[in-house]
Amino acid sequence: MTTAPAPTARHSARKAKVRLRGERSPLASVGVHLTLIVASVIAVFPVLWVLLTSLKPASYATTTDFFKETTFENYTNLIKDTEFLTWFGNSLLIAGLTTVLGVFVSATTGYAVSRFRFPGKRGLMWTLLITQMFPVAVLIVPIYNIMSGLGLLNQPVGLVITYLTIAVPFCAWMMKGFFDTIPREIDESGQVDGLTPFGTFWRLILPLAKPGLAVTAFYSFITAWGEVAYASAFMVGDENLTLAGGLQKFVNQYGAQWGPMTAASVLIAIPAALVFLFAQRHLVTGMSAGAVKG
């Protein structure tokens, strides 16, 4: 006659089964949560530092007295005494045009490469890929010479075209991979209903590509909104500067005006944060879907 296993043995076996299923031990959970907390603090601290510094008077700008004599003077002086609103408007115009054109060109290019066969297709894909291998510093001089020859220096159109050369190749590759995941039967059903290839793309495929379009829009906007090198090299004059170029006005050889600079940084981050909040629910889906096929 066999005896039932002792409760301790059964409990140990149950714990072993739980661990085999992939559940973490209490000590491992504590370690993971501590790591996430530390990483969150490291990520948030610089942003919080800039925000609190923007609320301090100039005499306390480089101190740790964050809540002493809190004031909005930096924001009011920034708007009243500088061309910040002009810089903001220039950046908004350039980033908006870059986003709209970037989404359209990337989506149509990705769809064409995904669905059609045409001469030079492989060469086009290689060109889009190779353009991503060059750093910004290498391309500034040749692009500057091209824009100068076309008379587009110190013009918003010149910056829009420049930013499109950065955003479109990456986004077109991503959109191509995303369109590859959409069944071709949808295109065939559109053709049966008498739609043209563009009509099929616009009416049937594009509504299914919202996650990929959200990633493309976000990447295009951020590319134009926070870029410094091209904006500083191509635009001169306070009335033509973007926000990136305008921030350099607060830095000189003798020091930096931390109050206006941090206030401007906070205001600059707001549109980018709004775009991210608008697109965030699609970002993970769009990036993962675009990475399925290349």
Side-chain angles (χ1 to χ4, degrees):
M1 181 178 179
T2 58
T3 59
T8 303
R10 285 188 303 209
H11 182 66
S12 300
R14 191 179 300 113
K15 287 179 66 177
K17 281 185 177 181
V18 168
R19 291 183 182 177
L20 286 174
R21 291 173 184 170
E23 294 191 14
R24 292 187 296 265
S25 65
L27 183 61
S29 297
V30 171
V32 170
H33 284 82
L34 286 177
T35 301
L36 293 175
I37 291 173
V38 172
S40 300
V41 170
I42 293 173
V44 172
F45 180 74
V47 179
L48 184 62
W49 183 286
V50 170
L51 174 61
L52 294 177
T53 301
S54 70
L55 298 174
K56 295 189 299 183
S59 57
Y60 295 101
T62 56
T63 67
T64 56
D65 299 326
F66 289 116
F67 301 101
K68 190 174 183 179
E69 299 185 18
T70 301
T71 178
F72 288 95
E73 184 179 5
N74 292 322
Y75 291 92
T76 56
N77 291 341
L78 175 70
I79 295 175
K80 292 180 179 179
D81 301 335
T82 69
E83 298 291 333
F84 178 81
L85 294 180
T86 301
W87 305 337
F88 191 93
N90 293 338
S91 291
L92 201 60
L93 173 65
I94 292 171
L97 288 175
T98 302
T99 302
V100 173
L101 294 175
V103 170
F104 180 77
V105 175
S106 299
T108 51
T109 302
Y111 180 74
V113 174
S114 173
R115 290 297 196 264
F116 306 117
R117 293 184 178 181
F118 52 88
K121 174 180 176 180
R122 184 178 297 273
L124 172 63
M125 297 305 295
W126 274 107
T127 301
L128 294 176
L129 182 62
I130 292 173
T131 55
Q132 299 298 296
M133 300 180 182
F134 295 96
V136 172
V138 175
L139 297 176
I140 287 181
V141 174
I143 294 180
Y144 182 93
N145 292 333
I146 294 173
M147 294 301 166
S148 178
L150 295 174
L152 295 178
L153 288 180
N154 219 31
Q155 298 290 334
V157 175
L159 270 186
V160 170
I161 295 173
T162 301
Y163 293 147
L164 288 175
T165 64
I166 301 173
V168 168
F170 169 78
C171 293
W173 262 99
M174 183 194 64
M175 290 302 298
K176 187 264 183 188
F178 187 87
F179 288 130
D180 285 344
T181 65
I182 299 177
R184 291 178 179 268
E185 287 77 8
I186 297 178
D187 300 69
E188 296 172 358
S189 65
Q191 295 174 4
V192 171
D193 292 338
L195 293 176
T196 63
F198 184 80
T200 301
F201 164 75
W202 186 260
R203 296 186 179 185
L204 302 181
I205 303 300
L206 211 56
L208 301 176
K210 288 182 180 179
L213 296 176
V215 177
T216 299
F218 179 73
Y219 182 81
S220 300
F221 182 86
I222 294 301
T223 297
W225 186 255
E227 200 279 326
V228 177
Y230 292 111
S232 301
F234 293 1
M235 309 296 281
V236 295
D238 285 352
E239 70 280 2
N240 296 319
L241 291 179
T242 62
L243 289 170
L247 280 180
Q248 299 182 32
K249 295 288 185 178
F250 303 122
V251 182
N252 54 50
Q253 60 180 334
Y254 303 107
Q257 303 176 50
W258 293 111
M261 183 184 296
T262 53
S265 299
V266 172
L267 296 178
I268 290 172
I270 292 175
L274 293 177
V275 172
F276 174 78
L277 290 175
F278 175 75
Q280 66 171 340
R281 61 175 180 169
H282 298 300
L283 288 179
V284 175
T285 303
M287 295 186 72
S288 59
V292 173
K293 294 182 180 181

